[in-house]
């Protein structure tokens, strides 16, 4: 309940009928005025109160002009200090969730409006207008909040704004959280088909050459997906132009997907043509960013060059005769596409290996360079991993014609489902949780390993899921009558497993499990002093299981049911070891007790070293962790 003081008395403002009844009871026998909150009478009373206070201020100004002027200045100064204090206190609060999830880094700064002033630092207490980084200036927003300036009109073109970037060894990122755009989720829908076509084609030719062809058709599609995720993450536009660019890339992906199956029988030129159309279009977008955002022009131009070099190799592979020579050019181009970013990382971070003078020059040339948004990257990568897990679940499905279908086909499907569920559990709930320092935030090397290890992990699980679709419907084990399957699946059912299917299934799972262990090793998980099994021991156990899987195809006497049962039981065992090992000693698995985070040797320090030119080199975070954390 609020009270307004007017010339004709006091007015009480109530928000509900209950408050009005309570007011009547407390003011029984007295004369008083009350209005509902938001009513026309309330608004009229506010206007009267505003006029009263304005008149009082005018009277004070006329009676004591000097005092009034000083009070105005004091009020203005206090407002400036309050805004600065709000920035200093709000930023840590907004970053707190980020630090809790991905780990602390003293070098991170936030900025308003996704912009900086000329010196690369947030403006002196001013809010920064959208697009300020591209113009290199600081613009006041006239005291209006960002929400007040937003419009529901979607612009055809908006000047792109850099969401996060490195400058002088510090990471500046937008204060607001970045959400996954709906257009990105739409891109994922297309990759459901891309994964399926690649996997199904691989099982038709389960040989070494078939595996090479699988890699050639899968890796470029992954690269385009990664490029789209990076562009959306780094630059904020939210305009019609951005959505049209994604639509064009999707059109290229559709053309690419339609030529996967017959790529090495006659449609290879079309396959690579659509891939190059998407890649060169992304190069054109990088060139556009270099024009409209001058501060990151150098790094954008370098990105364009890194796309054009492998493009020439891809074009050459179209005209080379003989698959052996073709594969040679293809794999040089693939390696360049996947690891070209190492060139920029070397120039920025490790060019001192050439000379200190060259390193200082590189720091000046690449003073600003875009950074990965850690929340967006992890969410998008997790979404793609979910697609792959989903493909393995779809692969185990079949159609039954028996009146009572509780047979070995159903048993193999259930075992495969348990296995996929355990993989999902380990990836998302074991390895991707309880981080003290995420791999992306830990170091450039750990970030690179985390990003690149996902590709063999996804490829291994995809080709394993493709082979699984053949193992589930195979009738090489007891109680598997192929006539109890529908016609489509009966044609796919084989009385004997091909040797290549065994290798695709077992080796694919093994490679995926090893990569999962590597991904987990790149993180620093929160140390628990009473943990039952150290992380390094649990990861070693996983790798041992993966090696056993890779060797499993040698046991050709195992039928499909025994093969799936063996891998599933070992997956469940690995999950059980992780669940048990992550728990604390002397703690029951029943009840609500929680492990305590207690590590006296945990400390964080940061060294920021100034150069002769006044720039600061990127400081290193020294994490001294107790031995139980890894």
């Amino acid at each position: 309940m609020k009270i307004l003081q007017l010339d004709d008395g006091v007015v009480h403002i109530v928000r509900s009928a209950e408050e009005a009844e309570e007011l009547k009871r407390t003011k029984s026998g007295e004369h008083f005025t009350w209005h509902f909150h938001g009513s026309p009478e309330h608004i009229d009373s506010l206007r009267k109160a505003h006029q009263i206070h304005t008149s009082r201020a005018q009277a004070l100004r006329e009676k004591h002009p000097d005092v009034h002027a000083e009070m105005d200045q004091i009020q203005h100064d206090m407002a400036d200090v309050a805004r600065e204090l709000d920035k200093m206190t709000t930023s840590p609060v907004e970053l707190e969730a980020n630090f809790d999830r991905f780990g602390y880094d003293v070098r991170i700064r936030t900025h308003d409006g996704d912009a900086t002033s000329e010196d690369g630092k947030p403006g002196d207490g001013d809010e920064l207008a959208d697009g300020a980084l591209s113009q290199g200036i600081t613009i006041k927003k006239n005291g209006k909040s960002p929400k007040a300036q937003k419009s529901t009109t979607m612009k055809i073109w908006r000047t792109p704004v850099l969401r996060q970037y490195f400058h002088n060894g510090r990471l500046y990122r937008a204060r607001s959280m970045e959400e996954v755009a709906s257009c990105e989720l739409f891109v994922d829908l297309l990759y459901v088909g891309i994964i399926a076509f690649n996997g199904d084609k691989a099982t038709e030719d389960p040989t070494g050459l078939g595996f090479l062809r699988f890699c050639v058709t899968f890796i470029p599609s992954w690269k385009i997906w990664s490029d789209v995720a990076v562009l959306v993450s780094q630059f904020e536009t939210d305009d019609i132009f951005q959505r049209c660019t994604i639509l064009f890339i999707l059109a290229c992906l559709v053309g690419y997907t339609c030529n996967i199956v017959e790529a090495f029988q006659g449609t290879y030129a079309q396959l690579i043509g659509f891939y190059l159309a998407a890649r060169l279009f992304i190069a054109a977008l990088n060139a556009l960013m270099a024009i409209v955002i001058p501060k990151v022009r150098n790094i954008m131009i370098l990105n364009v060059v890194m796309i054009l070099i492998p493009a020439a190799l891809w074009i050459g592979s179209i005209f080379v005769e003989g698959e052996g020579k073709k594969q040679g050019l293809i794999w040089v181009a693939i390696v360049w596409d996947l690891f070209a970013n190492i060139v920029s990382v070397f120039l920025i971070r490790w060019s001192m290996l050439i000379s200190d003078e060259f390193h200082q020059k590189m720091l000046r040339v690449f003073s600003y360079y875009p950074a990965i948004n850690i929340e967006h990257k992890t969410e998008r990568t997790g979404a793609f991993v979910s697609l792959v897990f989903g493909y393995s679940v779809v692969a185990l499905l079949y159609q039954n014609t028996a009146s009572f279908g509780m047979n070995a086909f159903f048993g193999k499907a259930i075992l495969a489902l348990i296995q996929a569920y355990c993989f999902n559990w380990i990836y998302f709930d074991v390895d991707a949780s309880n981080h003290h320092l995420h791999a992306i935030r830990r170091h450039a090397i750990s970030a690179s390993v985390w990003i690149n290890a996902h590709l063999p992990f996804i490829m291994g699980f995809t080709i394993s899921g493709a082979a699984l679709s053949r193992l589930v419907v195979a009738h090489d084990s007891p109680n598997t009558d192929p006539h109890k399957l529908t016609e489509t699946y009966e044609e796919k059912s084989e009385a004997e497993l091909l040797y290549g299917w065994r290798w695709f299934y077992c080796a694919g799972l093994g490679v995926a499990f090893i990569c999962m262990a590597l991904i987990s090793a790149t993180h620093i998980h929160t140390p628990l002093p009473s943990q039952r099994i150290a992380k390094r021991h649990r990861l070693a156990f996983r790798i041992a299981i993966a090696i056993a899987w890779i060797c499993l195809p040698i046991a050709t006497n195992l039928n499909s049911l025994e093969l799936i049962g063996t891998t599933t039981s070992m997956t469940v065992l690995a999950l059980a070891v992780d669940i048990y090992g992550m728990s604390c000693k002397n703690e029951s698995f029943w009840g609500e007790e929680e492990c305590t985070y207690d590590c006296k040797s945990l400390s964080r320090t940061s060294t920021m070293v100034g150069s002769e030119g006044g720039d600061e080199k990127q400081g290193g975070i020294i994490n001294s962790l107790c031995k139980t954390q890894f």
Side-chain angles (χ1 to χ4, degrees), residues 279-343:
R279 287 284 286 163
L280 294 177
F281 183 71
I282 291 171
L285 292 178
N286 277 272
L288 179 63
M289 296 301 108
I291 295 173
V292 299
I293 308 181
K295 287 187 180 296
V296 294
R297 177 172 298 164
N298 295 330
I299 192 69
M300 291 294 103
I301 293 175
L302 180 60
N303 289 344
V304 173
V305 174
M306 293 298 104
I307 293 175
L308 294 179
I309 292 175
L313 297 174
W314 283 111
I315 294 173
S317 69
I318 297 175
F319 300 99
V320 170
E321 297 294 337
E323 185 157 349
K325 296 179 180 178
K326 189 185 295 287
Q327 289 280 357
L329 277 178
I330 286 172
W331 282 100
V332 173
I334 285 176
V335 171
W336 194 282
D337 273 340
L338 292 178
F339 302 107
N341 62 328
I342 293 179
V343 175

Side-chain angles (χ1 to χ4, degrees), residues 472-526:
V472 168
V473 297
H475 57 277
D476 63 333
S477 58
N479 195 17
T480 53
D481 183 0
H483 300 298
K484 294 182 180 180
L485 301 172
T486 58
E487 183 179 353
T488 301
Y489 292 96
E490 184 178 355
E491 293 175 355
K492 294 175 61 176
S493 181
E494 297 288 345
E496 184 178 353
L497 295 182
L498 297 181
Y499 196 50
W501 291 346
R502 293 177 180 270
W503 277 104
F504 279 6
Y505 176 69
C506 297
L509 278 182
V511 170
F513 219 40
I514 290 174
C515 290
M516 284 180 67
L518 181 60
I519 291 169
S520 179
T522 58
H523 304 301
I524 297 179
H525 286 80
T526 302

Side-chain angles (χ1 to χ4, degrees), residues 32-100:
F32 63 93
T33 304
W34 64 274
H35 303 310
F36 276 115
H37 184 273
S39 64
E41 293 81 5
H42 179 202
I43 296 174
D44 185 60
S45 298
L46 288 174
R47 288 171 178 160
K48 291 180 180 179
H50 182 268
Q51 292 175 358
I52 292 172
H53 295 313
T54 301
S55 300
R56 291 175 59 195
Q58 182 64 29
L60 180 62
R61 182 183 293 108
E62 294 175 354
K63 186 175 182 180
H64 304 288
D66 296 337
V67 175
H68 190 277
E70 186 175 355
M71 289 296 297
D72 275 347
Q73 184 61 41
I74 292 175
Q75 186 177 10
H76 181 270
D77 294 341
M78 289 179 64
D80 288 343
V81 173
R83 282 195 297 270
E84 185 68 20
L85 182 61
D86 178 67
K87 287 187 177 184
M88 297 300 293
T89 56
T90 303
S91 296
V93 171
E94 292 175 340
L95 283 174
E96 183 177 355
N98 179 278
F99 288 155
D100 286 343

